[in-house]
Amino acid sequence: MSDSKEVVKGGEGMERHLGLSTAIALGVGTTIGSGIFTSVGAVAGAAGTPLLTILAFLIGGLIMIPQNLIYAEYSTAYSEDGGQFVYFREAGWPFMAMFFVWSCWWASDPVGIAIMGLTVANYLAFFTGWSSVTVSVVACLLIIFFTWLHMCHKHAGAKWQNFITAFKVVPFLLLVLAGLFFINGGNLEAAPVSSSAAAHGGILAAMIAGIAATTWSYDGMQTCVTMGGEVKNPKKNMPIALIGTVFVVTLLYVLLSVSAVGLVDIDTLAASDAPVAEAFSHIPGIGSQAGNIAAILAVIVVTGSLSSLIMFQARGEMKAAQEGYWWRSWGKIDPKYDSPVISMLWQSGFALVLVWATSIQDLVAIFTFICLLRNALLFCAWFPLQKKSNYHPTFKAPGGPVMAILAIVPSLILMFGELSGIISGEVPLFSFNPISAGILVVISAVPFYLHWKKVNADIIEAAEARRNAEIKEEVAEEATVEQ
């Protein structure tokens, strides 16, 4: 008998090598990134008061619970790489499946890698005084290194992700807890920020604005579903990872918000370009070193996010290619490295180009509307999925349709906020704005979708035949069990 361990394969033929800790590390590591270093001030300015700022972070985390509960249900029904692509596909919406990956490719994935790489390099430049050219070169080297790590040494990459996530959360939490001991009670009773709705009695409007400002800080919690085909025992581990991520991140953010508004007055916090450093500077013994500490913390935190993005994002394009809705070569799994080498090279290669582009942050803002749209539609998919013969989740979101609606509503509310300028006529539809940019992305996806349906008809047909065979096999097994 062989002494070698049995290798458990996932839906794409790759080894199921990710444990529960790595699934959680992916979600936490992706979510807690560069955004939190600026969003505290943005939320404080939007909410307007210390109490509303804290509530905004709390509610912002709570509204993620229904979304992650639905994701947990989806992921135990379809434990494959590709996540959202698979859920749209199974709902009978192939265009939305392809469009999800298309919008990720142009709107968030390579752009996110480029921004994270530049953010780490810029914080390193805080100590070194590097020129802008050197910063870009260092960002490229970081992207190349983590691509090599996760592409050619994925087991070591998973261990690294566990380490860097713990390494960045622990000191962050310690600083936050230290701040709680030095809160100035007077700061918690400060008058509202003059520019906020709260200053004029619009408490509800201020609350909604504050919650909306937390959106990007909480984005990324569902990361592990994109690598669902590589997670060990997904029926058990995926729900724990998705729900655990919500509570870990929400707890950390709420504690941070309490510490921040208690350490510094709300007006100063809202006006600061470096709110975390501003808050930490009021902890005795740190003072003038707050900027250095915040910069070091930022390097650690954002490096973890950069690593996470490179680790999981290419799985979306890989899955789309395997199903016939992308360029064929991107779906190949390298037999030596057991990873989607071509997809990863394209994604990181595009990110390297974007590093040298200008106003990358603007590119992310442009697609806010389309991201909210695809998220709302994704949770709408829960309803047709209930009728699928192969939909057998081992975890059911409590409340069923109520929970699905609770997952959909926040995205619709935030979408209405994005549309308000168009509706009021303040923002022309045919101008450079999130709505027109989103329409452009949708329109551009249509010809590619039709093209791939034609030229990749053999792949699409083979994939459908394979899935139908799997459904028949599952039905036969269920019938045998019942007998």
Side-chain angles (χ1 to χ4, degrees), residues 238-453:
M238 293 296 279
I240 296 174
L242 287 161
I243 298 168
T245 296
V246 174
F247 286 106
V248 169
V249 176
T250 301
L251 175 63
L252 185 57
Y253 283 2
V254 170
L255 290 176
L256 174 64
S257 65
V258 173
S259 181
V261 299
L263 287 169
V264 62
D265 68 271
I266 193 76
D267 282 299
T268 302
L269 192 68
S272 176
D273 292 327
V276 173
E278 182 68 44
F280 288 166
S281 69
H282 289 72
I283 299 177
I286 294 180
S288 61
Q289 294 301 310
N292 292 333
I293 293 173
I296 293 171
L297 193 58
V299 169
I300 298 171
V301 167
V302 184
T303 296
S305 296
L306 172 64
S307 171
S308 177
L309 294 181
I310 293 174
M311 181 178 181
F312 83 88
Q313 285 181 341
R315 267 62 178 180
E317 289 83 2
M318 174 203 74
K319 186 64 177 181
Q322 291 176 343
E323 298 287 333
Y325 293 102
W326 205 258
W327 287 278
R328 292 184 179 222
S329 61
W330 293 38
K332 295 178 181 177
I333 306 299
D334 187 276
K336 179 179 179 181
Y337 301 120
D338 194 35
S339 63
V341 169
I342 295 175
S343 184
M344 294 184 76
L345 286 174
W346 271 105
Q347 186 151 117
S348 293
F350 188 19
L352 292 175
V353 173
L354 292 175
V355 163
W356 299 94
T358 57
S359 301
I360 293 178
Q361 290 84 348
D362 293 338
L363 293 174
V364 176
I366 287 171
F367 292 98
T368 300
F369 174 79
I370 206 66
C371 290
L372 292 169
L373 172 63
R374 72 190 187 197
N375 285 342
L377 288 170
L378 181 64
F379 299 121
C380 288
W382 183 89
F383 295 95
L385 283 173
Q386 303 303 306
K387 302 175 183 178
K388 295 282 291 188
S389 59
N390 68 334
Y391 189 72
H392 304 295
T394 55
F395 174 88
K396 280 281 196 177
V402 174
M403 195 60 64
I405 291 171
L406 289 175
I408 295 165
V409 168
S411 292
L412 294 179
I413 293 173
L414 295 176
M415 278 175 59
F416 180 78
E418 291 287 326
L419 282 166
S420 60
I422 299 290
I423 295 172
S424 65
E426 295 178 9
V427 178
L429 176 60
F430 299 102
S431 64
F432 197 64
N433 61 75
I435 310 302
S436 59
I439 293 172
L440 179 61
V441 173
V442 174
I443 293 173
S444 67
V446 172
F448 281 90
Y449 170 75
L450 295 175
H451 170 71
W452 283 321
K453 278 202 71 172

Side-chain angles (χ1 to χ4, degrees), residues 6 96 146 171 186 189 264 355-356 358 455 473:
E6 179 185 0
M96 279 307 305
F146 284 116
E189 301 174 358
V264 62
V355 163
W356 299 94
T358 57
V455 301
E473 184 178 343

